[in-house]
Amino acid sequence: MVDIKKGLFYTKTHEWVKVEGGEAYIGLTAFAASELGDIVYFEGPDTDDVAQGAECGVVESVKSASDIYSPVSGKVLEVNEAVVDSPELINEDPYGAWLIKVELDSKEELKKLLSAEDYEKELANA
Amino acid sequence: MKKTVLYDEHIKQSGKMIEFTGYLLPISYTSISEEHELVRSDFGCFDCSHMGEIMISGEDAYKFTDYLVTQNLSGPDLRMSYGFLLNENGGVIDDIMAYKYNDSKFLLVVNASNKEKDYEHIMKLFNQGKYNCNVKDYSDDISLLAIQGPNSSKFIQKDLVEKLDEMKMYDFKYYSILGMKFLISRSGYTGGDGFEVYGKNEDILKLYQHFTKRGMKSCGLGARDTLRFEAALPLYGQELDMDINPLEAGLSFGVDFEKDFYGKEALSKIKEEGLKRRSVGLELLEPGIARHGYKVYSEGKEIGYVTTGYMIPNTKNSYAVALIDRDEYKLDKEVEILVHKRMVKAKIIKKKFMDKKYQK
């Protein structure tokens, strides 16, 4: 069974969000990391802001490239340089290796995201 | 969807299965990077049973095969050679290995994706001439293990009486293991030392189980592709296809213009008129990975496209092979590749990303 962490929000495109006050950390789920295989490259957004559902970076494994879609809208506060330098951290610890830190525009958006339970169902039905 | 005789073994070993040219095959077991490293430093086994095997035998086998393929077949018996089946325009129908038993028996090993197309082409030429020989497709009866890496010889040797190291690159011979007969060639698709072992489906299954029990590890299609890329070996459908000729792909060593072969007229004309494109190596100077089909630019002008690109596993070296306008070729010249909506700087280098280690 693929690891799904409780207390996070999820997207159908396999990103997770961890909300701390008005800030959110965005990462890729264990399922996404496992599907991609060895991740060798991560690039954050090239804009100062990200929008819910829009591209916010690229992740590449040995075999393929995938866009990352931002689960929330907001101002980009930080891109995780540790992951830029060592993208394999995403495979090693998908819920620890956050990619982008964002200042949330609106907590209302979180309602459109999946809970851990919903995401688990989503994977089971995929 | 077809399964190879080793399908259940792949599942037992938790192979991550994907569809590849109509077969269910493992992309990897552990990870592509680990399996890549295993083959470079020790050895690993690839299930290549999806490959096609076509036998040409009889009095005119040499005459017919010689017309069919581009390579010179006049060398000694029990040797294999690399070349092409061409279409009437000089484009590549397939790149193939020809195993020469003797002048009246040749085994052609062809790409899985091209099996039907190849057979059709072979039969078309066969029916056009009056050849006294037989053509038979054994693809469904034969399975193939590619056991590759510096320690592959030592490993297989333990099951053999004969000295395997008397075999040089591209030699082949029949050997008996556990009372079963296998054709073994010193060859592969990794740029390193290795062997390809052909046998009846049920025999290959038994041999695989025996070798696995003795400690052989398996690798998937993912590492097979990164390994062949690092060795700058071509893959049909990427470096070669119906619209790419072997000369612009940089593979003229597989074409013997001294003899006659199907497609020669067109290819000779292409050669005389001068080649338009050239297959080159690219080294990315900025982060990114150049994938198949990505466009290559020089001073804003599109000059070609990437045929294959990878970040070599376990390194930060990102390379590509690209097919570009011949006039644009200059070693060390800086070009750009459009990677994911972003221009990435790259440099034209020799199409050589490692030193090959064949048993000469």
Short mmCIF file of all heavy atoms in Angstrom, two decimals, chain B residues 155-215:
data_model
loop_
_atom_site.label_atom_id
_atom_site.label_comp_id
_atom_site.label_asym_id
_atom_site.label_seq_id
_atom_site.Cartn_x
_atom_site.Cartn_y
_atom_site.Cartn_z
N PHE B 155 30.35 -15.42 -14.20
CA PHE B 155 29.11 -16.02 -13.69
C PHE B 155 28.66 -17.20 -14.55
O PHE B 155 28.37 -18.28 -14.04
CB PHE B 155 28.00 -14.97 -13.61
CG PHE B 155 26.70 -15.53 -13.12
CD1 PHE B 155 26.48 -15.71 -11.76
CD2 PHE B 155 25.70 -15.89 -14.00
CE1 PHE B 155 25.28 -16.24 -11.30
CE2 PHE B 155 24.50 -16.43 -13.56
CZ PHE B 155 24.29 -16.60 -12.20
N ILE B 156 28.60 -16.99 -15.86
CA ILE B 156 28.10 -18.05 -16.76
C ILE B 156 29.10 -19.22 -16.79
O ILE B 156 28.71 -20.38 -16.86
CB ILE B 156 27.85 -17.50 -18.19
CG1 ILE B 156 26.82 -16.36 -18.14
CG2 ILE B 156 27.37 -18.61 -19.12
CD1 ILE B 156 26.65 -15.63 -19.47
N GLN B 157 30.39 -18.87 -16.71
CA GLN B 157 31.45 -19.88 -16.80
C GLN B 157 31.24 -21.04 -15.81
O GLN B 157 31.53 -22.19 -16.13
CB GLN B 157 32.82 -19.21 -16.55
CG GLN B 157 34.01 -20.15 -16.69
CD GLN B 157 34.16 -20.69 -18.10
OE1 GLN B 157 34.38 -19.94 -19.03
NE2 GLN B 157 34.00 -21.99 -18.26
N LYS B 158 30.70 -20.75 -14.65
CA LYS B 158 30.52 -21.79 -13.62
C LYS B 158 29.65 -22.95 -14.08
O LYS B 158 29.72 -24.03 -13.51
CB LYS B 158 29.92 -21.16 -12.35
CG LYS B 158 30.93 -20.31 -11.60
CD LYS B 158 30.36 -19.75 -10.32
CE LYS B 158 31.28 -18.69 -9.75
NZ LYS B 158 30.58 -17.56 -9.18
N ASP B 159 28.83 -22.72 -15.11
CA ASP B 159 27.96 -23.79 -15.61
C ASP B 159 28.51 -24.43 -16.88
O ASP B 159 27.83 -25.24 -17.50
CB ASP B 159 26.56 -23.23 -15.89
CG ASP B 159 25.68 -23.29 -14.65
OD1 ASP B 159 25.57 -24.39 -14.06
OD2 ASP B 159 25.14 -22.24 -14.25
N LEU B 160 29.72 -24.06 -17.27
CA LEU B 160 30.26 -24.55 -18.54
C LEU B 160 31.56 -25.30 -18.35
O LEU B 160 32.35 -25.00 -17.45
CB LEU B 160 30.52 -23.37 -19.49
CG LEU B 160 29.32 -22.57 -19.97
CD1 LEU B 160 29.79 -21.40 -20.81
CD2 LEU B 160 28.35 -23.44 -20.75
N VAL B 161 31.79 -26.27 -19.24
CA VAL B 161 33.06 -27.00 -19.26
C VAL B 161 34.04 -26.21 -20.14
O VAL B 161 35.19 -25.98 -19.77
CB VAL B 161 32.86 -28.42 -19.85
CG1 VAL B 161 34.18 -29.18 -19.84
CG2 VAL B 161 31.79 -29.16 -19.07
N GLU B 162 33.55 -25.78 -21.29
CA GLU B 162 34.40 -25.01 -22.23
C GLU B 162 34.75 -23.65 -21.64
O GLU B 162 34.01 -23.10 -20.84
CB GLU B 162 33.66 -24.80 -23.57
CG GLU B 162 33.23 -26.06 -24.26
CD GLU B 162 31.78 -26.38 -23.99
OE1 GLU B 162 31.32 -26.14 -22.84
OE2 GLU B 162 31.10 -26.87 -24.90
N LYS B 163 35.88 -23.13 -22.08
CA LYS B 163 36.31 -21.80 -21.63
C LYS B 163 35.55 -20.72 -22.39
O LYS B 163 35.72 -20.56 -23.59
CB LYS B 163 37.80 -21.62 -21.87
CG LYS B 163 38.68 -22.30 -20.83
CD LYS B 163 39.20 -21.28 -19.80
CE LYS B 163 40.05 -21.91 -18.72
NZ LYS B 163 39.35 -22.88 -17.89
N LEU B 164 34.76 -19.97 -21.67
CA LEU B 164 33.94 -18.92 -22.29
C LEU B 164 34.82 -17.77 -22.80
O LEU B 164 34.48 -17.09 -23.76
CB LEU B 164 32.92 -18.40 -21.27
CG LEU B 164 31.70 -17.66 -21.77
CD1 LEU B 164 30.95 -18.47 -22.81
CD2 LEU B 164 30.78 -17.32 -20.61
N ASP B 165 35.96 -17.57 -22.15
CA ASP B 165 36.78 -16.42 -22.51
C ASP B 165 37.55 -16.59 -23.82
O ASP B 165 38.21 -15.67 -24.28
CB ASP B 165 37.72 -16.04 -21.37
CG ASP B 165 37.06 -14.97 -20.49
OD1 ASP B 165 36.17 -14.27 -21.01
OD2 ASP B 165 37.42 -14.86 -19.31
N GLU B 166 37.44 -17.78 -24.41
CA GLU B 166 38.01 -17.93 -25.76
C GLU B 166 37.12 -17.23 -26.77
O GLU B 166 37.50 -17.01 -27.91
CB GLU B 166 38.15 -19.41 -26.10
CG GLU B 166 39.36 -20.01 -25.39
CD GLU B 166 39.37 -21.52 -25.40
OE1 GLU B 166 38.54 -22.12 -26.10
OE2 GLU B 166 40.22 -22.09 -24.68
N MET B 167 35.93 -16.89 -26.32
CA MET B 167 34.98 -16.20 -27.19
C MET B 167 35.28 -14.71 -27.19
O MET B 167 35.45 -14.10 -26.15
CB MET B 167 33.60 -16.40 -26.56
CG MET B 167 32.54 -16.70 -27.53
SD MET B 167 30.99 -16.57 -26.64
CE MET B 167 30.12 -17.77 -27.51
N LYS B 168 35.33 -14.13 -28.39
CA LYS B 168 35.54 -12.68 -28.50
C LYS B 168 34.21 -12.02 -28.85
O LYS B 168 33.25 -12.67 -29.24
CB LYS B 168 36.57 -12.38 -29.60
CG LYS B 168 37.91 -13.08 -29.41
CD LYS B 168 38.66 -12.54 -28.19
CE LYS B 168 39.92 -13.35 -27.89
NZ LYS B 168 40.05 -13.66 -26.46
N MET B 169 34.21 -10.71 -28.70
CA MET B 169 33.05 -9.91 -29.09
C MET B 169 32.51 -10.34 -30.47
O MET B 169 33.28 -10.41 -31.43
CB MET B 169 33.55 -8.46 -29.14
CG MET B 169 32.62 -7.48 -29.78
SD MET B 169 31.41 -6.94 -28.61
CE MET B 169 30.65 -5.64 -29.59
N TYR B 170 31.23 -10.64 -30.54
CA TYR B 170 30.51 -11.02 -31.76
C TYR B 170 30.73 -12.46 -32.21
O TYR B 170 30.25 -12.87 -33.25
CB TYR B 170 30.80 -10.06 -32.94
CG TYR B 170 30.00 -8.76 -32.88
CD1 TYR B 170 29.28 -8.41 -31.75
CD2 TYR B 170 29.95 -7.90 -33.98
CE1 TYR B 170 28.55 -7.24 -31.69
CE2 TYR B 170 29.20 -6.72 -33.93
CZ TYR B 170 28.51 -6.40 -32.79
OH TYR B 170 27.78 -5.24 -32.75
N ASP B 171 31.48 -13.27 -31.41
CA ASP B 171 31.53 -14.71 -31.67
C ASP B 171 30.26 -15.33 -31.11
O ASP B 171 29.68 -14.80 -30.17
CB ASP B 171 32.71 -15.36 -30.91
CG ASP B 171 34.05 -15.10 -31.58
OD1 ASP B 171 34.06 -14.61 -32.73
OD2 ASP B 171 35.08 -15.38 -30.93
N PHE B 172 29.86 -16.48 -31.66
CA PHE B 172 28.77 -17.24 -31.03
C PHE B 172 28.99 -18.73 -31.21
O PHE B 172 29.77 -19.16 -32.04
CB PHE B 172 27.40 -16.81 -31.55
CG PHE B 172 27.06 -17.24 -32.95
CD1 PHE B 172 26.37 -18.42 -33.19
CD2 PHE B 172 27.41 -16.46 -34.04
CE1 PHE B 172 26.04 -18.81 -34.49
CE2 PHE B 172 27.09 -16.83 -35.34
CZ PHE B 172 26.40 -18.02 -35.57
N LYS B 173 28.31 -19.50 -30.38
CA LYS B 173 28.52 -20.93 -30.33
C LYS B 173 27.39 -21.57 -29.55
O LYS B 173 26.75 -20.90 -28.75
CB LYS B 173 29.83 -21.18 -29.55
CG LYS B 173 30.69 -22.32 -30.02
CD LYS B 173 31.97 -22.34 -29.22
CE LYS B 173 32.25 -23.75 -28.75
NZ LYS B 173 33.51 -23.82 -27.97
N TYR B 174 27.15 -22.87 -29.76
CA TYR B 174 26.17 -23.58 -28.95
C TYR B 174 26.85 -24.17 -27.73
O TYR B 174 27.96 -24.70 -27.81
CB TYR B 174 25.51 -24.69 -29.77
CG TYR B 174 24.36 -24.16 -30.61
CD1 TYR B 174 24.58 -23.73 -31.92
CD2 TYR B 174 23.08 -24.06 -30.08
CE1 TYR B 174 23.54 -23.21 -32.67
CE2 TYR B 174 22.04 -23.54 -30.83
CZ TYR B 174 22.27 -23.12 -32.13
OH TYR B 174 21.24 -22.61 -32.87
N TYR B 175 26.19 -24.04 -26.58
CA TYR B 175 26.71 -24.61 -25.34
C TYR B 175 25.61 -25.42 -24.69
O TYR B 175 24.42 -25.13 -24.88
CB TYR B 175 27.13 -23.50 -24.37
CG TYR B 175 28.36 -22.74 -24.79
CD1 TYR B 175 28.24 -21.58 -25.56
CD2 TYR B 175 29.63 -23.16 -24.40
CE1 TYR B 175 29.37 -20.86 -25.94
CE2 TYR B 175 30.76 -22.45 -24.78
CZ TYR B 175 30.62 -21.30 -25.54
OH TYR B 175 31.74 -20.61 -25.91
N SER B 176 26.03 -26.39 -23.90
CA SER B 176 25.06 -27.19 -23.16
C SER B 176 25.12 -26.80 -21.69
O SER B 176 26.18 -26.77 -21.07
CB SER B 176 25.41 -28.67 -23.36
OG SER B 176 24.58 -29.44 -22.55
N ILE B 177 23.95 -26.46 -21.13
CA ILE B 177 23.86 -26.15 -19.70
C ILE B 177 22.67 -26.93 -19.13
O ILE B 177 21.57 -26.88 -19.71
CB ILE B 177 23.64 -24.63 -19.44
CG1 ILE B 177 24.78 -23.81 -20.07
CG2 ILE B 177 23.56 -24.36 -17.94
CD1 ILE B 177 24.61 -22.30 -19.94
N LEU B 178 22.89 -27.66 -18.06
CA LEU B 178 21.86 -28.50 -17.43
C LEU B 178 21.20 -29.42 -18.45
O LEU B 178 19.99 -29.68 -18.39
CB LEU B 178 20.76 -27.63 -16.77
CG LEU B 178 21.17 -26.53 -15.80
CD1 LEU B 178 19.96 -25.69 -15.41
CD2 LEU B 178 21.81 -27.12 -14.55
N GLY B 179 21.98 -29.89 -19.40
CA GLY B 179 21.46 -30.81 -20.41
C GLY B 179 20.63 -30.15 -21.50
O GLY B 179 20.05 -30.83 -22.35
N MET B 180 20.58 -28.82 -21.50
CA MET B 180 19.81 -28.11 -22.53
C MET B 180 20.78 -27.36 -23.44
O MET B 180 21.89 -27.02 -23.03
CB MET B 180 18.84 -27.12 -21.88
CG MET B 180 17.84 -27.78 -20.95
SD MET B 180 16.80 -26.59 -20.07
CE MET B 180 17.91 -25.85 -18.90
N LYS B 181 20.34 -27.11 -24.67
CA LYS B 181 21.22 -26.50 -25.66
C LYS B 181 20.88 -25.01 -25.83
O LYS B 181 19.73 -24.65 -26.01
CB LYS B 181 21.02 -27.22 -27.00
CG LYS B 181 22.24 -27.16 -27.91
CD LYS B 181 22.05 -28.09 -29.10
CE LYS B 181 21.57 -27.29 -30.29
NZ LYS B 181 21.39 -28.06 -31.53
N PHE B 182 21.91 -24.17 -25.75
CA PHE B 182 21.70 -22.73 -25.92
C PHE B 182 22.69 -22.14 -26.92
O PHE B 182 23.84 -22.56 -26.95
CB PHE B 182 21.88 -22.01 -24.58
CG PHE B 182 20.91 -22.45 -23.53
CD1 PHE B 182 21.29 -23.37 -22.56
CD2 PHE B 182 19.61 -21.96 -23.51
CE1 PHE B 182 20.39 -23.80 -21.59
CE2 PHE B 182 18.71 -22.38 -22.54
CZ PHE B 182 19.10 -23.31 -21.58
N LEU B 183 22.22 -21.19 -27.69
CA LEU B 183 23.13 -20.42 -28.53
C LEU B 183 23.58 -19.23 -27.68
O LEU B 183 22.76 -18.48 -27.17
CB LEU B 183 22.40 -19.93 -29.78
CG LEU B 183 23.20 -19.22 -30.89
CD1 LEU B 183 22.34 -19.13 -32.14
CD2 LEU B 183 23.66 -17.83 -30.51
N ILE B 184 24.89 -19.10 -27.51
CA ILE B 184 25.41 -17.97 -26.73
C ILE B 184 26.33 -17.13 -27.59
O ILE B 184 27.25 -17.64 -28.23
CB ILE B 184 26.16 -18.45 -25.46
CG1 ILE B 184 25.24 -19.32 -24.59
CG2 ILE B 184 26.69 -17.28 -24.66
CD1 ILE B 184 25.86 -19.79 -23.28
N SER B 185 26.07 -15.83 -27.63
CA SER B 185 26.97 -14.93 -28.34
C SER B 185 27.55 -13.93 -27.34
O SER B 185 26.90 -13.61 -26.34
CB SER B 185 26.24 -14.19 -29.47
OG SER B 185 25.16 -13.44 -28.97
N ARG B 186 28.75 -13.48 -27.63
CA ARG B 186 29.34 -12.45 -26.77
C ARG B 186 28.93 -11.11 -27.37
O ARG B 186 29.55 -10.62 -28.33
CB ARG B 186 30.86 -12.58 -26.72
CG ARG B 186 31.44 -11.75 -25.59
CD ARG B 186 32.82 -12.23 -25.17
NE ARG B 186 33.08 -11.90 -23.78
CZ ARG B 186 33.95 -12.53 -23.01
NH1 ARG B 186 34.63 -13.55 -23.48
NH2 ARG B 186 34.13 -12.16 -21.77
N SER B 187 27.88 -10.57 -26.87
CA SER B 187 27.29 -9.38 -27.48
C SER B 187 26.29 -8.77 -26.52
O SER B 187 26.03 -9.31 -25.46
CB SER B 187 26.57 -9.80 -28.78
OG SER B 187 25.62 -10.81 -28.49
N GLY B 188 25.74 -7.66 -26.92
CA GLY B 188 24.74 -7.01 -26.08
C GLY B 188 24.48 -5.59 -26.54
O GLY B 188 24.82 -5.21 -27.65
N TYR B 189 23.88 -4.83 -25.64
CA TYR B 189 23.35 -3.51 -26.02
C TYR B 189 23.65 -2.53 -24.90
O TYR B 189 22.85 -1.65 -24.61
CB TYR B 189 21.85 -3.70 -26.22
CG TYR B 189 21.10 -2.61 -26.94
CD1 TYR B 189 21.63 -1.93 -28.03
CD2 TYR B 189 19.81 -2.28 -26.53
CE1 TYR B 189 20.90 -0.95 -28.68
CE2 TYR B 189 19.06 -1.31 -27.17
CZ TYR B 189 19.61 -0.64 -28.25
OH TYR B 189 18.89 0.32 -28.89
N THR B 190 24.82 -2.71 -24.27
CA THR B 190 25.14 -1.87 -23.11
C THR B 190 26.47 -1.16 -23.26
O THR B 190 26.80 -0.30 -22.44
CB THR B 190 25.20 -2.71 -21.82
OG1 THR B 190 26.25 -3.69 -21.97
CG2 THR B 190 23.89 -3.42 -21.55
N GLY B 191 27.26 -1.52 -24.27
CA GLY B 191 28.58 -0.93 -24.41
C GLY B 191 29.62 -1.57 -23.52
O GLY B 191 30.77 -1.14 -23.48
N GLY B 192 29.22 -2.60 -22.79
CA GLY B 192 30.16 -3.33 -21.95
C GLY B 192 30.23 -4.78 -22.39
O GLY B 192 29.59 -5.17 -23.37
N ASP B 193 31.01 -5.58 -21.66
CA ASP B 193 31.08 -7.00 -21.96
C ASP B 193 29.73 -7.63 -21.62
O ASP B 193 29.00 -7.13 -20.75
CB ASP B 193 32.19 -7.63 -21.11
CG ASP B 193 32.53 -9.05 -21.57
OD1 ASP B 193 32.13 -9.44 -22.70
OD2 ASP B 193 33.20 -9.77 -20.81
N GLY B 194 29.40 -8.72 -22.32
CA GLY B 194 28.14 -9.38 -22.01
C GLY B 194 27.83 -10.48 -23.00
O GLY B 194 28.54 -10.68 -23.98
N PHE B 195 26.74 -11.19 -22.70
CA PHE B 195 26.37 -12.35 -23.51
C PHE B 195 24.88 -12.31 -23.81
O PHE B 195 24.09 -11.83 -22.99
CB PHE B 195 26.70 -13.64 -22.77
CG PHE B 195 28.18 -13.78 -22.52
CD1 PHE B 195 28.76 -13.17 -21.40
CD2 PHE B 195 28.99 -14.46 -23.41
CE1 PHE B 195 30.12 -13.26 -21.17
CE2 PHE B 195 30.36 -14.54 -23.19
CZ PHE B 195 30.93 -13.95 -22.07
N GLU B 196 24.52 -12.86 -24.96
CA GLU B 196 23.12 -13.06 -25.26
C GLU B 196 22.90 -14.56 -25.41
O GLU B 196 23.65 -15.23 -26.11
CB GLU B 196 22.73 -12.25 -26.51
CG GLU B 196 22.77 -10.75 -26.18
CD GLU B 196 22.51 -9.83 -27.36
OE1 GLU B 196 23.34 -9.79 -28.28
OE2 GLU B 196 21.49 -9.13 -27.35
N VAL B 197 21.88 -15.05 -24.71
CA VAL B 197 21.65 -16.49 -24.62
C VAL B 197 20.27 -16.80 -25.21
O VAL B 197 19.26 -16.34 -24.69
CB VAL B 197 21.70 -16.97 -23.15
CG1 VAL B 197 21.52 -18.48 -23.07
CG2 VAL B 197 23.01 -16.54 -22.49
N TYR B 198 20.27 -17.58 -26.29
CA TYR B 198 19.02 -17.93 -26.96
C TYR B 198 18.70 -19.40 -26.69
O TYR B 198 19.61 -20.24 -26.68
CB TYR B 198 19.15 -17.78 -28.47
CG TYR B 198 19.47 -16.40 -28.96
CD1 TYR B 198 20.78 -15.92 -28.95
CD2 TYR B 198 18.47 -15.58 -29.48
CE1 TYR B 198 21.08 -14.64 -29.43
CE2 TYR B 198 18.76 -14.31 -29.96
CZ TYR B 198 20.07 -13.85 -29.93
OH TYR B 198 20.36 -12.60 -30.40
N GLY B 199 17.43 -19.69 -26.49
CA GLY B 199 17.03 -21.09 -26.31
C GLY B 199 15.54 -21.22 -26.50
O GLY B 199 14.83 -20.24 -26.69
N LYS B 200 15.08 -22.48 -26.45
CA LYS B 200 13.64 -22.72 -26.52
C LYS B 200 13.00 -22.06 -25.31
O LYS B 200 13.60 -22.03 -24.23
CB LYS B 200 13.37 -24.23 -26.46
CG LYS B 200 13.70 -24.97 -27.73
CD LYS B 200 13.22 -26.42 -27.57
CE LYS B 200 14.10 -27.36 -28.36
NZ LYS B 200 14.20 -28.69 -27.75
N ASN B 201 11.77 -21.62 -25.47
CA ASN B 201 11.09 -20.91 -24.38
C ASN B 201 11.21 -21.61 -23.03
O ASN B 201 11.62 -21.02 -22.03
CB ASN B 201 9.60 -20.73 -24.71
CG ASN B 201 9.40 -19.81 -25.91
OD1 ASN B 201 10.26 -18.98 -26.21
ND2 ASN B 201 8.29 -19.97 -26.60
N GLU B 202 10.86 -22.92 -23.01
CA GLU B 202 10.83 -23.65 -21.74
C GLU B 202 12.25 -23.83 -21.17
O GLU B 202 12.45 -23.83 -19.95
CB GLU B 202 10.09 -25.00 -21.88
CG GLU B 202 10.69 -25.98 -22.89
CD GLU B 202 10.20 -25.77 -24.34
OE1 GLU B 202 9.74 -24.65 -24.67
OE2 GLU B 202 10.32 -26.71 -25.14
N ASP B 203 13.23 -23.92 -22.05
CA ASP B 203 14.62 -24.06 -21.59
C ASP B 203 15.13 -22.75 -20.99
O ASP B 203 15.86 -22.75 -19.99
CB ASP B 203 15.54 -24.48 -22.75
CG ASP B 203 15.24 -25.89 -23.24
OD1 ASP B 203 14.42 -26.58 -22.59
OD2 ASP B 203 15.81 -26.30 -24.27
N ILE B 204 14.76 -21.65 -21.62
CA ILE B 204 15.19 -20.34 -21.10
C ILE B 204 14.58 -20.10 -19.72
O ILE B 204 15.24 -19.59 -18.82
CB ILE B 204 14.80 -19.20 -22.09
CG1 ILE B 204 15.72 -19.22 -23.31
CG2 ILE B 204 14.82 -17.84 -21.40
CD1 ILE B 204 17.17 -18.78 -23.06
N LEU B 205 13.33 -20.53 -19.54
CA LEU B 205 12.70 -20.38 -18.22
C LEU B 205 13.50 -21.14 -17.16
O LEU B 205 13.82 -20.61 -16.10
CB LEU B 205 11.24 -20.88 -18.27
CG LEU B 205 10.51 -20.93 -16.92
CD1 LEU B 205 10.42 -19.54 -16.29
CD2 LEU B 205 9.11 -21.52 -17.08
N LYS B 206 13.86 -22.41 -17.48
CA LYS B 206 14.63 -23.22 -16.53
C LYS B 206 16.00 -22.60 -16.27
O LYS B 206 16.46 -22.56 -15.13
CB LYS B 206 14.81 -24.65 -17.07
CG LYS B 206 13.58 -25.52 -16.87
CD LYS B 206 13.85 -26.94 -17.37
CE LYS B 206 12.55 -27.57 -17.85
NZ LYS B 206 12.76 -28.52 -18.94
N LEU B 207 16.63 -22.13 -17.32
CA LEU B 207 17.97 -21.52 -17.16
C LEU B 207 17.89 -20.25 -16.31
O LEU B 207 18.72 -20.01 -15.43
CB LEU B 207 18.55 -21.18 -18.54
CG LEU B 207 19.97 -20.62 -18.52
CD1 LEU B 207 20.97 -21.73 -18.17
CD2 LEU B 207 20.35 -20.01 -19.87
N TYR B 208 16.84 -19.46 -16.56
CA TYR B 208 16.65 -18.21 -15.80
C TYR B 208 16.46 -18.51 -14.32
O TYR B 208 17.05 -17.86 -13.46
CB TYR B 208 15.44 -17.45 -16.37
CG TYR B 208 15.14 -16.15 -15.66
CD1 TYR B 208 15.77 -14.97 -16.05
CD2 TYR B 208 14.22 -16.10 -14.62
CE1 TYR B 208 15.50 -13.77 -15.40
CE2 TYR B 208 13.94 -14.92 -13.96
CZ TYR B 208 14.58 -13.75 -14.36
OH TYR B 208 14.32 -12.58 -13.71
N GLN B 209 15.64 -19.52 -14.04
CA GLN B 209 15.39 -19.88 -12.64
C GLN B 209 16.68 -20.39 -11.99
O GLN B 209 16.99 -20.04 -10.84
CB GLN B 209 14.29 -20.95 -12.55
CG GLN B 209 12.92 -20.39 -12.89
CD GLN B 209 11.86 -21.46 -13.10
OE1 GLN B 209 12.18 -22.59 -13.49
NE2 GLN B 209 10.60 -21.11 -12.87
N HIS B 210 17.45 -21.18 -12.74
CA HIS B 210 18.72 -21.70 -12.24
C HIS B 210 19.70 -20.55 -11.97
O HIS B 210 20.30 -20.47 -10.89
CB HIS B 210 19.30 -22.67 -13.28
CG HIS B 210 20.70 -23.10 -13.00
ND1 HIS B 210 21.04 -23.97 -11.98
CD2 HIS B 210 21.87 -22.77 -13.61
CE1 HIS B 210 22.35 -24.15 -11.97
NE2 HIS B 210 22.89 -23.43 -12.95
N PHE B 211 19.85 -19.66 -12.92
CA PHE B 211 20.77 -18.52 -12.77
C PHE B 211 20.32 -17.60 -11.62
O PHE B 211 21.14 -17.08 -10.87
CB PHE B 211 20.86 -17.71 -14.07
CG PHE B 211 21.81 -18.29 -15.10
CD1 PHE B 211 21.82 -17.81 -16.40
CD2 PHE B 211 22.72 -19.29 -14.76
CE1 PHE B 211 22.70 -18.32 -17.36
CE2 PHE B 211 23.61 -19.81 -15.70
CZ PHE B 211 23.59 -19.32 -17.00
N THR B 212 19.02 -17.41 -11.51
CA THR B 212 18.50 -16.54 -10.45
C THR B 212 18.81 -17.14 -9.08
O THR B 212 19.22 -16.44 -8.16
CB THR B 212 16.99 -16.31 -10.64
OG1 THR B 212 16.77 -15.72 -11.92
CG2 THR B 212 16.42 -15.39 -9.57
N LYS B 213 18.66 -18.46 -8.99
CA LYS B 213 18.98 -19.16 -7.74
C LYS B 213 20.47 -18.99 -7.42
O LYS B 213 20.86 -18.89 -6.26
CB LYS B 213 18.63 -20.65 -7.88
CG LYS B 213 18.07 -21.27 -6.61
CD LYS B 213 17.54 -22.67 -6.85
CE LYS B 213 16.10 -22.69 -7.33
NZ LYS B 213 15.66 -24.04 -7.76
N ARG B 214 21.29 -18.95 -8.43
CA ARG B 214 22.74 -18.79 -8.25
C ARG B 214 23.13 -17.32 -7.99
O ARG B 214 24.30 -17.01 -7.86
CB ARG B 214 23.47 -19.27 -9.52
CG ARG B 214 23.63 -20.77 -9.61
CD ARG B 214 25.04 -21.18 -10.05
NE ARG B 214 25.31 -20.97 -11.47
CZ ARG B 214 26.14 -20.06 -11.94
NH1 ARG B 214 26.76 -19.23 -11.12
NH2 ARG B 214 26.35 -19.95 -13.23
N GLY B 215 22.16 -16.42 -7.97
CA GLY B 215 22.48 -15.04 -7.58
C GLY B 215 22.35 -14.00 -8.67
O GLY B 215 22.65 -12.82 -8.45
#
